[in-house]
């Protein structure tokens, strides 16, 4: 086994015109699962697009699995990608889409068919396998993306907000898939703006803020900081009022507000909340269709972190 | 890092990539309403031939045949069908967000581009001769020779247009708009006699269908399309083959190096 980093990023700067999306980022990623955490607009997707070779660095160098990523088919043979954007080949069925991507990765038709069946089943889309992707719900589209990222058993997985749009049960299952993948020896870079999503799969976290690595380290320490801020969660539900009444009985829920499509709540104990929500959603009685956490609390954490790091604070003021 | 957890399949070679991409693109082209506009463009002259020229004296039918071929088929149908079929990749897919799946597949970008272009060529090659048949078959005249040369001219001109438009789609974001403007300008230029007309592909395609044996056809092309001095078949074929090959050869290195940052790729 080589000691070379799986991902090596050195002084990476990427700008879009006058907007600097990434600013002198340096990363050495070793095997395992690493969470890339940051609020919206922090530069996570830009970093992932550079790592997948869709974008080039403006300044600096990047190697992934020892190769330069831009337009590099040898690298793409070994990585799995779950992009942030929802767009797919909507006129194809889920099976056709996954199978075609496997065929492009060199699998023979029978092997591609068998792998597709296996993974379609793993992401719970057996009943929708013959339907056009156009008719899939947001969660189903997300699961198909995950399917395409995992199905060829890649050495490196680059997952951009992979849990977006998934209900608690599928969040848990995908987190399990990531953990299984890592156990088999793959490296996973998992981006999210929700610490608890990342924390469920890894303790190693990189915090990206305003295009810079604001902190790297153990998720537990970061959670201790974030838990000082009230955590807001939005839940899409079939019966918001009934769910709100139910949630108000939970110790870990501080306040609940009913909206047209679901409920908004705050919790001082997000870990306990997510854990209980996953357990109780499993039987489907709560009618939860999706869950998301705005990044306000993360944003305030980042502000705290940046203020605690004078070098970064000074650099930010100079921008 | 795991080493050899399983035998990873070998990467597809270029021919396999081109074949896979072309087949998928063909299958997708035949679904839904993608081909609606090209099919309408192709069938429209047939409807016109039946409703306007059928039943007219043979000379008028022959005149109509050459007129609609020169103006509609070669001036509009061939370039517009090429435009519709060849400009969906890569910029439009980049804006849509699906380009990620093409450009992160373990295949060269240029091989994917070739596959897409082959599919466009295949669809157009099947569709456009139908347009010629749709014009000629309803007319009660001896037009086997002219129809043959019109189909040949179509099949030679179409790849040149596909090459041009797909090259512009590699380089320019709004290719559809640019293409429509190009078709309008090219048609306008083709009515200027002399050097200006010779800068257009329409001039060469009209030259290729020059009716040596039909005084009515010659008269129609001379008066209406203002072709007094048609290019030789060798020159016309050379122009089409040259444009097709040159545009594709220019596109190949460009697609390898251009960074396609679609609308979804906002800073962040």
């Amino acid at each position: 086994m080589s000691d070379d980093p799986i991902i090596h990023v050195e002084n990476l700067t990427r700008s879009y015109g006058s907007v600097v999306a990434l600013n002198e980022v340096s990363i050495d990623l070793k095997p395992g699962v690493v969470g890339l955490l940051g609020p919206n607009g922090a530069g996570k997707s830009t970093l992932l697009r550079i790592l997948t070779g869709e974008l080039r660095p403006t300044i600096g160098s990047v190697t992934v699995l020892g190769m330069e990523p831009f337009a590099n088919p040898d690298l793409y043979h070994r990585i799995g990608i779950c992009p942030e954007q929802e767009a797919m080949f909507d006129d194809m069925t889920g099976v056709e889409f996954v199978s075609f991507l496997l065929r492009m990765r060199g699998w023979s038709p029978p092997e591609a068919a068998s792998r597709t069946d296996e993974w379609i089943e793993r992401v719970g889309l057996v009943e929708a396998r013959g339907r056009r992707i156009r008719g899939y719900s947001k969660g189903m589209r997300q699961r198909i993306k995950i399917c395409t990222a995992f199905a060829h058993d890649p050495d490196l997985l680059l997952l951009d907000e992979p849990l977006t749009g998934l209900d608690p049960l599928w969040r848990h299952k995908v987190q399990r898939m990531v953990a299984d993948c890592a156990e088999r020896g793959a490296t996973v870079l998992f981006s999210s703006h929700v610490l608890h999503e990342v924390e469920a799969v890894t303790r190693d976290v990189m915090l990206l803020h305003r295009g810079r690595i604001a902190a790297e380290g153990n998720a537990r320490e970061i959670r201790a900081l974030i838990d000082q801020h009230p955590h807001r969660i939005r839940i899409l539900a079939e019966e918001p009022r009934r769910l709100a009444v139910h949630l108000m009985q939970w110790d870990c829920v501080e306040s609940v507000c009913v909206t047209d499509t679901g409920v908004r709540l705050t919790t001082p104990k997000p870990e306990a909340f997510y854990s209980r929500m996953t357990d109780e959603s499993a039987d489907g009685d709560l009618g939860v269709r999706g869950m998301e956490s705005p990044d306000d609390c993360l944003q305030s954490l980042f502000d705290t972190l940046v203020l605690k790091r004078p070098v970064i604070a000074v650099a930010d003021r100079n921008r | 890092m795991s080493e050899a957890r399983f035998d990873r399949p070998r990467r597809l070679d270029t021919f396999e990539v081109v074949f896979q991409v072309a087949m998928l693109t063909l299958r997708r082209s035949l679904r839904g309403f993608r081909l609606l506009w090209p099919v309408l463009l192709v069938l429209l002259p047939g409807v016109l031939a039946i409703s306007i020229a059928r039943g007219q004296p043979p000379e008028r039918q022959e005149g109509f045949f050459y007129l609609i071929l020169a103006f509609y088929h070669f001036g509009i149908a061939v370039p517009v069908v090429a435009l519709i079929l060849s400009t969906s990749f890569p910029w439009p897919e980049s804006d849509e967000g699906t380009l990620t799946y093409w450009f992160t597949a373990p295949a060269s970008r240029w091989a994917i581009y070739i596959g897409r272009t082959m599919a466009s060529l295949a669809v157009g090659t099947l569709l456009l001769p139908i347009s010629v048949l749709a014009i000629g078959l309803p007319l009660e005249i001896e037009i086997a020779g002219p129809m043959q040369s019109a189909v040949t001219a179509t099949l030679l001109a179409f790849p040149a247009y596909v090459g041009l438009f797909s090259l512009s789609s590699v380089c320019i974001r709004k290719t559809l708009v640019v293409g429509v403007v190009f078709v309008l300008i090219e048609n306008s230029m083709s009515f200027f006699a002399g050097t200006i007309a010779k800068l257009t592909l329409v001039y060469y395609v009209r030259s290729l269908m020059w009716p040596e044996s039909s005084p009515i056809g010659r008269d129609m092309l001379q008066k209406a399309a203002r072709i007094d001095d048609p290019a030789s078949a060798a020159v016309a074929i050379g122009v089409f083959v040259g444009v097709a090959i040159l545009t594709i050869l220019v596109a190949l290195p460009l697609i390898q190096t251009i960074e396609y940052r679609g609308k979804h790729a906002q800073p962040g």
Side-chain angles (χ1 to χ4, degrees), chain A residues 1-2 6 14 16 19 21 31 41-46 49 52-56 65 70-71 73-74 76-78 81 83 85 87-93 96-97 100-101 103-107 115 132 145 148 152-156 184-187, chain B residues 1-12 16-25 27-29 31-32 34 93-109 112 116 255-262 264-268:
Chain A
M1 190 181 293
S2 161
I6 301 295
R14 168 70 209 203
Y16 300 95
V19 179
K44 302 188 296 294
S45 294
T46 299
R49 283 196 187 102
T52 58
E54 290 176 79
L55 301 177
R56 282 198 185 94
L65 297 169
F70 188 81
D74 289 328
Y76 301 146
H77 201 47
R78 295 178 59 192
I81 297 163
Q85 69 271 14
M88 275 174 272
F89 301 160
D90 281 359
D91 55 334
M92 295 174 81
T93 65
E96 287 171 337
F97 183 58
F100 170 72
L101 293 179
R103 294 281 292 117
M104 287 291 285
R105 291 181 181 281
W107 298 87
R115 278 205 162 237
R132 300 253 167 107
K145 281 200 292 186
T148 61
H152 57 286
D153 212 357
D155 292 331
L156 170 65
R184 286 200 309 271
T187 298
Chain B
M1 190 74 223
S2 72
E3 274 135 36
R5 291 198 305 278
F6 65 97
D7 289 332
R8 193 176 294 285
R10 65 169 179 82
R11 260 184 62 196
L12 296 183
E16 289 169 318
V17 170
V18 170
F19 179 75
Q20 290 288 340
V21 172
M23 289 307 291
L24 182 84
T25 309
R27 279 205 303 274
R28 294 180 70 202
S29 298
R31 283 186 181 168
R34 281 171 204 269
E93 289 218 26
S94 171
D95 284 336
E96 205 181 307
T98 50
L99 194 66
T100 299
Y101 294 103
W102 290 114
F103 281 2
T104 57
S108 303
R109 290 177 172 198
I112 294 168
R116 298 282 302 230
I255 202 165
Q256 284 294 122
T257 50
I258 291 175
E259 183 187 89
Y260 293 95
R261 183 161 67 84
H264 67 277
Q266 299 303 318

Side-chain angles (χ1 to χ4, degrees), chain B residues 204-265:
Chain B
Y204 295 98
V205 81
R206 285 173 183 158
S207 298
L208 261 188
M209 56 168 286
W210 184 254
E212 292 292 351
S213 59
S214 164
I216 297 171
R218 279 203 306 275
D219 191 48
M220 186 60 71
L221 289 179
Q222 275 168 342
K223 283 183 182 164
R226 304 192 56 181
I227 294 183
D228 297 321
D229 174 26
S232 69
V235 169
I237 292 169
V239 167
F240 293 134
V241 173
V243 169
I245 291 176
L246 191 69
T247 48
I248 288 173
L249 286 180
V250 171
L252 297 183
L254 285 177
I255 202 165
Q256 284 294 122
T257 50
I258 291 175
E259 183 187 89
Y260 293 95
R261 183 161 67 84
K263 284 175 186 163
H264 67 277

